[in-house]
Amino acid sequence: MNLSRRDFLKATGLSGVGLALASLGLDVGKVEAAAKEYKLTGGREFTSVCHFCGCGCGTIGYVKDGKLINLEGAADAPVNRGGLCPKGIGYGHIPNAELRPKCPMYRAPGSDHWEEISWEEAIDRAARAMKKARDENWVGQDEANGYKFMSNRTDAIGFVGGSQVNNEECYQLIKMARALGVVFIDNQTRVCHATTPPALNAAFGRGAMTGSWYNLKHAKMIWIEGSNMAECHPMAMKNVMEAKDNGAIIVHVDVRYTRTSRVADHFFQLRPGTDIAFLGALINYIIQNKKYDADYLRRNTNAFCLLRDDFDFDAGIFSGYNEKTRTYNKETWGYKLDANGKPVKAPTMAAKGTVMDHLARHFSRYTFEKASAITGMPVADIKKAAELFSTITPTVMMYALGMTQHTIGVENIRCFTIIQLLMGNIGVSGGGIDAMRGQPNVQSSTDYGIMFQYYPAYLSYPTHVDDTLAKWTHHNGTFRAKFLKNLLKAWFGDAANASNDYMFNALPIRNGTHNDSMYIMFEKAMAGIVKCIYVCGQNPQMTNANLTIVNKGLKNLDTLIVQDVFVNETAAFWERPGDNPADIKTEVIFLPAGSYLERCGSMTNSMRMLQWRMKGPDPTNDSRPDYWICDKLWKRIVSLYKDSTDPKDNTIKLLTWNYGDPEANGEAYVENIMKECNGYDLKDGHLLRGIREIRDDGTTMAGMWIFTGVFGDGVNMTKRRGQEDRGGMGIYPNYAWVWPDNIHMLYNRASCDENGKPVRPGQKIVWWDEEKGIWDGYDVPDVADRTQGPNTPGGQKPFRMNAEGFARLFAAEHSDVENGETRDHSYVPVDGPMPEFYEPVESPTKNMMNEGQKTEFNPCVIYPRIPELQKIGTPDEYPYVLCSSSLTEHWCSGTITRNIPYLNELVKEPFVEISEQLAAKLGIRGGDRVRVSTTRSAIEVKAMVTKRAQPLMVNGKETHMIWMPYNWGFKGLSKGPSTNYLTIDALDPNVQEQEFKACLANVERL
């Protein structure tokens, strides 16, 4: 018989292998006989989730005698259906990789070599280093803007990492860090998607991808901007191609022609950093030509709301700007309110002073001609893009780091939210905004608050302005205070109660006059303030911008602790070529971690889906699971403080850590952590079934309120592999579990009219069932109470996580007040309630947005912070725009991929890609060695001459872009200079994410 691999995988993935083969007409007896010779005979099968991008592809491995003997894609995983990219399949090499460290290691101050040490010594050294830094540098009372407050923190310890470890390990890390009093806390999301949560939150109330990978098949158009999806998210692209097979139009907007462009129906090239000018022209076209969905706007947005009379915008600056501090007072960015404090609505959107009126006037300046002059894109292309977007619906917009890594990153993404709301594409099948995460668990390391500005589950971290629970509640609302109380109850157990504000003040309070991001962490290390940094599953000596500062900071530490699968450039920074180890006095402790295949736990992919990883092979050499290392480290720290009588140490003593012994039963230990994240009813002990069961009176606890239900009634939902897809809507409700409450399409209430009837019956996903008296659907309805019908206030909140209950085209300053208390407060970006185009900090041209522009780059950006190390390049000396990103074959810092031989064979070294026109101008041929330089550094690489990035006419001048991958460093099997010595560390003012995608550079032939 002729049997395709697809048919085989489809059959065997959905049933028992024997039955599947029989159903295909094969003689099962003969097959079973042949299997005796099959190489996997006697192997134990296990399922897991890929280590690389945020797609969350399922994998199946086979273990024999404790060793991995095969790794492949899981055919029953809805994301990838058996497929894996080159990196995913190549990971099978890692358990037996030659450079895996044999045991923990220690590098003494001034030493030029590692010493092998025991785990007991490594854990003890690490614990004592943290204790020393904490005890000698404790900040009890602090002062901010003349206000004195109890801070209970240390600025001497920094925590970095979490995006490559499992969910439960993220939880261990954040509990440990906060209990120690650490405020310098960060993870990989700072350098990739930190701008995503505030941008999406400002519009919708949550900061996550709105739909699922497999929802793409229902889209009529898929708009990919700022992402080379085919290379960086191949299995997500697989779902895009299915949509294309179904007739969807694919549009790609990017700074160069890539493999994604190759499969798109339309490609539009623009200059790096100019997406707001382009998208602003599309928004203007949609509004001026009334192409928007007026009914959707009426039902679901603040388009009709009236703004305050004193709100203003002039020459690039919104009202309330303080030029001296480069900050805004956002008070004037609010609504006109009625007697009950609710936004006043006009009878029509076009009425003067409405959100829609302001939006129309603001974006009327974004003409096709102006956008063309700024972006370099021809007017005809911009018009064509506008016509496409305004005539095809539903549309999914997909983006990655091309949109996020800018000093206007938040406002870039805000353009997406506005245009999708105008077209009615949020909360509907085939619509949405998909933020494509680039690391296996960067979504959840953000969810868990491994960032200085969050508690777990996106609860704002307190600063001096809300240094009591009462103040925090006033600013954030009683709605969120309930979840904070449950978090504190999970962390401190019986010690947390109403009489002591659930131990709110036991944890550190930040000084809000400065940010505590990873970039500032290394600057403070240079200054001698940060003494000890603990890095888990990250490589900042490779992945930060302006690496000279990172390196100088590492050299000035007392102690560096690194926990990873390989000794990476951060752990071995003292080995950097050209440096003298004898001059570097930092002690380094290296803790060898097991690979993802060697331990169990859950992961969260870009679409918010939590999946379980089974343990496969035994840990390589003497490496250990991250959860084991974290457990031993915390317990050793606790033992060092057991006899302390200092009040500052009570937090450490009282923190709950009741998960058992990770050595005796690793899976039970990890599941105990997950149960704490899920939460318990403390009255009867049952595991909470969903968010609706959380109470604010101290009788429930939940460490991660958005994860409540993942272990409901004692069932680990992340292990589910059900294939049911009721309605054929691509939801798969019984495969794994999605936060919150297993809602796959966020804001799906917006797909229904006021009466709860689906607006598009052919693509219905939820509805009000009058007969049952309940919201029902193929997906879990995104409503607070499923029994509150459309005729109740609760049933008319399509965007219930906003204080207003509806989506926000204009991010107004607004609190919902009930009975004199703030119920909820909506998030507002610090740099404007609407997007405005500003040039990158280093730009080849002037800001052309309007005459008399008062600022060239984002007026809230503070740069340089260290003038001698952060000089701003000019186009006369550095005439070309440098953009950096990644490759199919290599990933992030290359810690893993550059230790996989065949991936190194595919792409052997770093390079710079330049256009044929620029190559001819500079006399460069493909393969020539060139020097690429910025104000920060210079590196030498080979040139690749291509047609992929054409020169653009910007403000009447020919402008060239050059492109480089950033995946190489001085460790691993493949070595090369790191591009991030060149990149600029100017930061978005909302979340301090760097401008990787646009800085000025020069290229010279050697």
Side-chain angles (χ1 to χ4, degrees):
M1 84 184 272
N2 292 321
L3 177 63
S4 71
R5 182 174 184 273
R6 177 185 289 271
D7 291 336
F8 176 79
L9 289 174
K10 182 177 179 181
T12 57
L14 300 180
S15 62
V17 174
L19 290 174
L21 295 174
S23 72
L24 293 170
L26 298 180
D27 186 322
V28 177
K30 291 182 179 179
V31 171
E32 288 177 342
K36 293 178 180 179
E37 305 300 322
Y38 186 46
K39 66 178 181 178
L40 300 184
T41 301
R44 174 178 63 85
E45 181 179 280
F46 70 98
T47 59
S48 193
V49 184
C50 181
H51 174 80
F52 294 107
C53 77
C55 286
C57 296
T59 61
I60 296 178
Y62 296 87
V63 175
K64 194 170 185 178
D65 300 325
K67 300 291 185 181
L68 183 74
I69 57 174
N70 191 57
L71 183 68
E72 60 191 57
D76 66 340
V79 173
N80 57 311
R81 290 297 182 199
L84 285 178
C85 73
K87 295 187 292 290
I89 201 69
Y91 199 98
H93 172 81
I94 295 301
N96 303 306
E98 61 182 271
L99 292 184
R100 287 287 295 274
K102 293 183 174 60
C103 61
M105 296 187 293
Y106 179 72
R107 184 263 177 182
S111 175
D112 63 355
H113 64 277
W114 291 103
E115 302 171 26
E116 294 185 352
I117 58 176
S118 67
W119 271 108
E120 182 178 14
E121 181 180 351
I123 294 294
D124 185 64
R125 282 184 178 275
R128 289 183 183 277
M130 288 186 186
K131 183 177 188 299
K132 181 177 186 294
R134 178 180 185 269
D135 292 349
E136 294 179 0
N137 301 276
W138 188 252
V139 182
Q141 189 180 74
D142 198 8
E143 184 174 325
N145 297 327
Y147 174 68
K148 294 182 178 179
F149 65 103
M150 290 305 298
S151 182
N152 295 322
R153 74 174 197 270
T154 177
D155 292 336
I157 303 176
F159 267 61
V160 178
S163 298
Q164 296 177 39
V165 301
N166 294 336
N167 287 332
E168 298 74 24
E169 293 153 350
C170 286
Y171 191 64
Q172 289 175 303
L173 288 169
I174 195 60
K175 280 186 73 170
M176 183 190 309
R178 291 302 188 191
L180 285 169
V182 178
V183 293
F184 282 116
I185 297 175
D186 232 330
N187 77 87
Q188 185 68 25
T189 201
R190 184 69 57 208
V191 297
C192 63
H193 266 280
T195 49
T196 283
L200 299 181
N201 186 12
F204 311 138
R206 300 185 184 99
M209 179 170 162
T210 64
S212 68
W213 299 127
Y214 21 95
N215 168 62
L216 296 174
K217 66 182 180 181
H218 298 292
K220 299 301 182 185
M221 182 165 68
I222 297 176
W223 188 281
I224 306 167
E225 185 164 351
S227 166
N228 181 5
M229 189 175 176
E231 293 201 56
C232 297
H233 296 85
M235 292 302 108
M237 195 68 190
K238 182 177 182 180
N239 288 276
V240 170
M241 297 309 292
E242 182 179 352
K244 186 172 184 177
D245 289 344
N246 291 340
I249 300 297
I250 313 301
V251 175
H252 189 218
V253 183
D254 215 330
V255 299
R256 65 187 185 119
Y257 189 92
T258 67
R259 289 172 179 165
T260 305
S261 317
R262 177 65 181 82
V263 300
D265 298 287
H266 304 278
F267 169 69
F268 302 106
Q269 182 187 339
L270 44 58
R271 173 168 64 96
T274 62
D275 295 86
I276 290 178
F278 168 69
L279 292 167
L282 271 59
I283 292 169
N284 183 33
Y285 179 85
I286 290 169
I287 294 174
Q288 297 303 323
N289 293 280
K290 295 183 170 54
K291 298 283 190 177
Y292 46 76
D293 186 333
D295 185 60
Y296 183 96
L297 291 171
R298 177 184 59 81
R299 290 183 287 108
N300 297 316
T301 78
N302 65 355
F304 284 73
C305 295
L306 291 166
L307 297 179
R308 286 174 48 148
D309 292 333
D310 53 354
F311 170 73
D312 193 22
F313 174 82
D314 178 54
I317 301 292
F318 296 96
S319 51
Y321 185 63
N322 184 321
E323 189 172 358
K324 183 178 180 181
T325 61
R326 301 184 70 83
T327 60
Y328 282 107
N329 179 333
K330 297 179 281 189
E331 182 181 356
T332 61
W333 305 356
Y335 303 112
K336 286 185 177 179
L337 303 176
D338 63 19
N340 297 315
K342 307 297 182 184
V344 175
K345 291 187 176 182
T348 68
M349 284 192 297
K352 183 175 175 56
T354 63
V355 164
M356 195 63 165
D357 173 53
H358 279 281
L359 203 70
R361 284 188 278 133
H362 183 81
F363 285 102
S364 66
R365 300 151 45 241
Y366 288 77
T367 64
F368 290 158
E369 292 74 20
K370 181 69 74 174
S372 177
I374 293 170
T375 65
M377 188 186 298
V379 167
D381 280 1
I382 301 174
K383 183 178 180 181
K384 182 178 182 181
E387 289 172 344
L388 279 168
F389 207 105
S390 61
T391 55
I392 302 174
T393 191
T395 294
V396 176
M397 298 190 84
M398 310 189 76
Y399 72 94
L401 308 189
M403 293 296 287
T404 63
Q405 292 176 332
H406 295 275
T407 50
I408 49 174
V410 166
E411 301 301 347
N412 275 346
I413 304 159
R414 285 277 290 125
C415 288
F416 281 174
T417 68
I418 291 170
I419 201 169
Q420 284 291 71
L421 289 172
L422 288 172
M423 296 304 298
N425 284 327
I426 299 298
V428 301
S429 179
I433 298 178
D434 290 358
M436 294 180 286
R437 298 291 199 146
Q439 292 226 4
N441 213 27
V442 70
Q443 177 64 54
S444 217
S445 55
T446 310
D447 296 342
Y448 274 98
I450 305 181
M451 303 176 76
F452 72 88
Q453 74 268 40
Y454 294 132
Y455 278 117
Y458 302 99
L459 300 171
S460 295
Y461 201 81
T463 70
H464 65 282
V465 298
D466 43 20
D467 60 331
T468 67
L469 181 58
K471 291 181 185 177
W472 190 94
T473 302
H474 176 72
H475 292 140
N476 295 276
T478 55
F479 170 68
R480 298 176 198 276
K482 173 173 68 173
F483 304 129
L484 178 56
K485 292 175 187 177
N486 274 264
L487 165 68
L488 296 171
K489 193 72 180 171
W491 284 16
F492 294 108
D494 292 340
N497 53 67
S499 67
N500 60 15
D501 284 343
Y502 297 91
M503 293 194 68
F504 177 90
N505 292 99
L507 296 172
I509 304 293
R510 291 183 50 239
N511 187 319
T513 61
H514 56 78
N515 79 72
D516 301 315
S517 77
M518 179 163 43
Y519 282 98
I520 306 305
M521 182 191 307
F522 287 107
E523 292 172 13
K524 295 296 184 183
M526 281 178 56
I529 295 170
V530 173
K531 309 284 188 181
C532 173
I533 294 180
Y534 174 34
V535 182
C536 179
Q538 197 159 321
N539 192 1
Q541 175 62 74
M542 279 286 296
T543 56
N544 276 35
N546 197 355
L547 288 179
T548 296
I549 288 179
V550 175
N551 189 260
K552 287 180 178 292
L554 292 172
K555 288 176 178 176
N556 206 40
L557 292 174
D558 291 342
T559 304
L560 173 66
I561 306 162
V562 177
Q563 182 173 320
D564 215 310
V565 176
F566 291 95
V567 176
N568 57 25
E569 284 81 1
T570 300
F573 77 93
W574 47 275
E575 295 183 45
R576 189 179 70 153
D579 285 347
N580 182 2
D583 297 332
I584 301 171
K585 304 305 179 185
T586 308
E587 69 167 354
V588 185
I589 304 162
F590 182 79
L591 310 175
S595 74
Y596 90 83
L597 297 168
E598 299 162 0
R599 67 188 197 278
C600 64
S602 65
M603 297 286 285
T604 307
N605 71 356
S606 287
M607 56 165 279
R608 300 168 283 107
M609 182 168 68
L610 283 73
Q611 302 177 81
W612 186 255
R613 285 173 157 175
M614 296 172 63
K615 179 188 176 297
D618 296 332
T620 300
N621 300 326
D622 200 18
S623 63
R624 302 296 171 93
D626 290 275
Y627 63 79
W628 183 95
I629 300 172
C630 292
D631 182 85
K632 298 300 180 184
L633 181 56
W634 178 248
K635 287 175 178 175
R636 182 61 184 131
I637 290 171
V638 172
S639 72
L640 293 175
Y641 279 105
K642 70 179 182 354
D643 296 324
S644 172
T645 58
D646 190 330
K648 75 176 176 61
D649 302 331
N650 288 337
T651 304
I652 293 173
K653 294 180 177 182
L654 292 173
L655 191 78
T656 61
W657 200 273
N658 307 315
Y659 312 125
D661 183 355
E663 245 166 334
N665 189 330
E667 182 165 321
Y669 179 93
V670 172
E671 287 194 330
N672 284 338
I673 299 174
M674 185 190 286
K675 290 174 182 177
E676 182 176 310
C677 295
N678 177 93
Y680 290 89
D681 187 313
L682 300 176
K683 289 183 176 180
D684 60 17
H686 82 264
L687 284 153
L688 301 177
R689 304 174 186 91
I691 296 171
R692 66 190 180 280
E693 293 191 359
I694 296 176
R695 297 186 291 268
D696 69 350
D697 60 1
T699 59
T700 58
M701 60 83 105
M704 276 287 288
W705 72 270
I706 59 174
F707 285 9
T708 298
V710 70
F711 223 108
D713 273 337
V715 178
N716 185 344
M717 303 291 184
T718 71
K719 293 181 176 180
R720 301 187 302 172
R721 303 188 77 86
Q723 300 294 305
E724 302 84 5
D725 183 20
R726 192 163 63 99
M729 300 309 295
I731 292 172
Y732 302 101
N734 298 315
Y735 189 93
W737 189 86
V738 175
W739 74 259
D741 281 333
N742 210 32
I743 300 170
H744 289 68
M745 177 60 72
L746 294 179
Y747 323 112
N748 53 41
R749 168 64 179 89
S751 68
C752 298
D753 63 17
E754 292 94 333
N755 300 314
K757 304 298 183 185
V759 175
R760 302 170 182 169
Q763 289 187 305
K764 65 179 183 179
I765 44 179
V766 299
W767 54 86
W768 171 252
D769 190 313
E770 191 70 44
E771 186 176 329
K772 295 180 182 177
I774 193 171
W775 286 95
D776 202 354
Y778 301 130
D779 194 9
V780 176
D782 192 358
V783 294
D785 186 338
R786 293 178 66 177
T787 66
Q788 291 186 4
N791 60 339
T792 68
Q796 293 292 345
K797 290 185 176 182
F799 291 83
R800 60 190 173 98
M801 295 301 292
N802 280 332
E804 299 94 324
F806 41 71
R808 292 145 51 86
L809 297 156
F810 179 100
E813 178 63 35
H814 181 65
S815 293
D816 182 37
V817 179
E818 292 182 353
N819 302 318
E821 290 188 342
T822 303
R823 185 196 66 84
D824 201 3
H825 179 267
S826 294
Y827 175 78
V828 183
V830 303
D831 51 356
M834 294 183 289
E836 171 66 359
F837 171 74
Y838 304 103
E839 286 289 338
V841 170
E842 288 187 348
S843 170
T845 189
K846 296 292 184 182
N847 191 332
M848 294 176 279
M849 193 53 242
N850 52 22
E851 296 298 326
Q853 185 88 12
K854 294 180 180 178
T855 181
E856 290 295 319
F857 58 81
N858 190 323
C860 295
V861 169
I862 298 174
Y863 193 82
R865 300 177 300 275
I866 305 175
E868 65 273 20
L869 295 174
Q870 296 170 330
K871 296 176 182 177
I872 298 176
T874 58
D876 56 338
E877 189 175 0
Y878 301 98
Y880 314 120
V881 179
L882 169 64
C883 180
S884 62
S885 56
S886 197
L887 300 159
T888 297
E889 296 82 5
H890 287 290
W891 176 72
C892 291
S893 72
T895 298
I896 297 294
T897 56
R898 287 187 289 109
N899 281 295
I900 298 174
Y902 93 87
L903 292 178
N904 289 325
E905 287 298 312
L906 292 172
V907 183
K908 300 174 184 292
E909 60 185 310
F911 55 91
V912 59
E913 185 175 302
I914 63 176
S915 68
E916 292 176 336
Q917 294 90 332
L918 183 57
K921 176 182 176 181
L922 300 177
I924 296 172
R925 293 177 298 180
D928 284 351
R929 291 197 65 79
V930 297
R931 177 183 292 109
V932 184
S933 60
T934 67
T935 62
R936 290 159 291 282
S937 190
I939 63 174
E940 296 180 4
V941 292
K942 288 181 181 177
M944 176 186 286
V945 179
T946 76
K947 299 179 184 293
R948 293 198 287 195
Q950 296 295 312
L952 300 172
M953 292 302 295
V954 175
N955 198 13
K957 180 181 178 182
E958 185 176 80
T959 302
H960 294 269
M961 185 205 76
I962 62 175
W963 179 88
M964 298 182 72
Y966 69 95
N967 313 96
W968 275 265
F970 57 87
K971 297 296 291 183
L973 299 176
S974 173
K975 301 175 178 64
S978 175
T979 299
N980 281 334
Y981 279 98
L982 306 177
T983 50
I984 188 170
D985 53 346
L987 307 176
D988 176 286
N990 292 279
V991 288
Q992 290 71 53
E993 181 165 350
Q994 73 298 310
E995 198 147 51
F996 271 153
K997 299 306 183 199
C999 65
L1000 293 181
N1002 193 20
V1003 182
E1004 303 165 276
R1005 184 174 181 273
L1006 294 175

